[in-house]
Amino acid sequence: MELLALLGMEAWSLGSYISYVLPFLFLLLVVLLRLYGQGSDIWTLQSCPVDLTGKTAVVTGANSGIGKAVSCELARRGARVVLACRRLPQGQKALEDIQKATGSKELLLRELDLSSIASIRSFSQKLLQEEPHIHLLVNNAGISGLPYKTLTSDGLEMTFMTNYLGHFLLTNLLLKGLLEASSARVVNVSSFRHKFGFVDEQHLVGAGRPLSSNQPYDCSKLLQVLFTKELAQRLQRTGVTVNSVDPGIVKTDIMKNHSWLLRSIFWLLSVFFKDPEVAFSLWNTSARLTNLEKMAKKE
């Protein structure tokens, strides 16, 4: 104490440590964990030699988040990538960003509203005329936070239509193009939240058992996983593989329809979450792009 006084410094109280030192140490720990998590994988996307030149990939919700990161990496590997987006201005911005990052000239922007049966049918019909062989379909687009019983123009519940029924219809309409390719893959981007869901067919039209704010998303993701399992079984020995993938909690705009309080909490905690590029890298760390390598070798 006397030494501190001689040096013109005040003794630090317990309150000082709580107010300044502990928050600093906490933030430092967070930064170190983030750096370790991003650099700890032995396998990286950059070390993967797969060349997808001549392959056609379709990615829904490609204008942002995981969809944009997936589209960018596929374009970097030479694939012809169809950016299927509901809003064309945002899709055009994503296309320009991907072109700038990869130099790819094999990018197509197409309008697709997964909440509209007419839009899905129109998109599929036109796409198969342009691209009769589809090697990869990534069903990524999704929404959450909308009030339950928000109905589409077709009379279907909006969250269930966008997350599940829309992709169900799209996949079946594009199945001809997938089967025409000598080897193809369907990837349904799911969520760990499917564990909290349950099945009630009445939910598809906004009826049935009442749901809380998060349950439409949870139940729609469970249906998506069940669809993946059933389709995979039906397409055995056809050359088309079907997988679902849980990317974990990723910093995207998935919370945009939630309350300001939940959005704020998500933003505050986002320092712990994965960036879309990291999520895609971890997804492929386990998959090792095995099926894509088979596609690249077969043709």
Side-chain angles (χ1 to χ4, degrees):
M1 293 288 290
E2 294 178 356
L3 177 60
L4 290 174
L6 289 173
L7 296 174
M9 300 171 63
E10 296 181 359
W12 278 46
S13 64
L14 178 61
S16 299
Y17 279 101
I18 295 176
S19 300
Y20 300 103
V21 177
L22 292 183
F24 172 78
L25 292 176
F26 174 75
L27 290 175
L28 180 61
L29 177 62
V30 168
V31 171
L32 291 175
L33 287 174
R34 291 273 294 173
L35 291 174
Y36 174 77
Q38 293 184 22
S40 61
D41 292 311
I42 297 174
W43 185 88
T44 63
L45 285 173
Q46 290 70 29
S47 66
C48 181
V50 174
D51 181 5
L52 297 177
T53 301
K55 310 303 176 184
T56 297
V58 180
V59 183
T60 69
N63 59 289
S64 64
I66 294 175
K68 184 177 179 181
V70 170
S71 299
C72 188
E73 187 59 35
L74 294 173
R76 195 187 309 279
R77 298 180 183 280
R80 184 173 176 82
V81 185
V82 180
L83 310 179
C85 303
R86 183 163 65 94
R87 295 189 177 91
L88 290 182
Q90 288 88 333
Q92 182 61 38
K93 176 63 167 57
L95 185 149
E96 293 170 358
D97 290 344
I98 295 171
Q99 279 184 331
K100 184 177 180 181
T102 66
S104 173
K105 299 185 183 300
E106 294 292 325
L107 296 170
L108 300 175
L109 174 62
R110 296 293 180 264
E111 185 175 12
L112 173 63
D113 183 354
L114 285 164
S115 68
S116 167
I117 292 177
S119 176
I120 297 170
R121 290 190 180 278
S122 175
F123 170 86
S124 303
Q125 183 179 18
K126 293 177 181 177
L127 181 62
L128 288 176
Q129 291 174 353
E130 294 179 281
E131 305 292 337
H133 299 86
I134 298 174
H135 301 88
L136 176 62
L137 171 61
V138 181
N139 291 320
N140 160 76
I143 58 171
S144 69
L146 291 178
Y148 179 56
K149 296 186 179 182
T150 301
L151 300 182
T152 70
S153 58
D154 300 301
L156 298 166
E157 208 285 327
M158 180 68 77
T159 300
F160 282 89
M161 180 64 193
T162 304
N163 294 354
Y164 165 60
L165 283 174
H167 284 129
F168 175 92
L169 178 59
L170 176 67
T171 303
N172 280 279
L173 291 177
L174 294 181
L175 197 54
K176 179 181 178 181
L178 291 162
L179 292 170
E180 287 291 331
S182 61
S183 180
R185 185 179 187 183
V186 178
V187 178
N188 294 323
V189 180
S190 185
S191 167
F192 71 95
R193 295 292 310 181
H194 82 272
K195 298 176 183 177
F196 304 98
F198 58 92
V199 177
D200 183 341
E201 293 179 358
Q202 293 298 309
H203 288 156
L204 304 180
V205 293
R209 177 177 167 182
L211 297 176
S212 63
S213 59
N214 291 326
Q215 285 182 317
Y217 181 83
D218 301 344
C219 295
S220 67
K221 286 299 181 179
L222 173 60
L223 288 171
Q224 186 187 49
V225 170
L226 295 176
F227 165 56
T228 303
K229 182 177 179 180
E230 179 64 24
L231 186 62
Q233 291 177 346
R234 295 192 180 200
L235 294 180
Q236 286 182 357
R237 295 180 293 278
T238 65
V240 179
T241 59
V242 188
N243 304 99
S244 63
V245 58
D246 168 19
I249 305 178
V250 186
K251 288 190 288 186
T252 68
D253 60 357
I254 190 66
M255 298 295 291
K256 64 183 179 182
N257 296 315
H258 288 266
S259 67
W260 67 268
L261 178 59
L262 289 178
R263 293 199 308 271
S264 299
I265 294 173
F266 185 85
W267 180 81
L268 288 172
L269 295 177
S270 64
V271 67
F272 297 106
F273 303 158
K274 296 185 286 286
D275 295 322
E277 295 76 13
V278 174
F280 182 55
S281 178
L282 294 176
W283 158 12
N284 285 295
T285 299
S286 59
R288 293 294 195 275
L289 288 176
T290 301
N291 288 37
L292 296 184
E293 290 175 352
K294 290 179 180 178
M295 280 191 275
K297 292 177 181 177
K298 272 206 170 187
E299 291 189 356

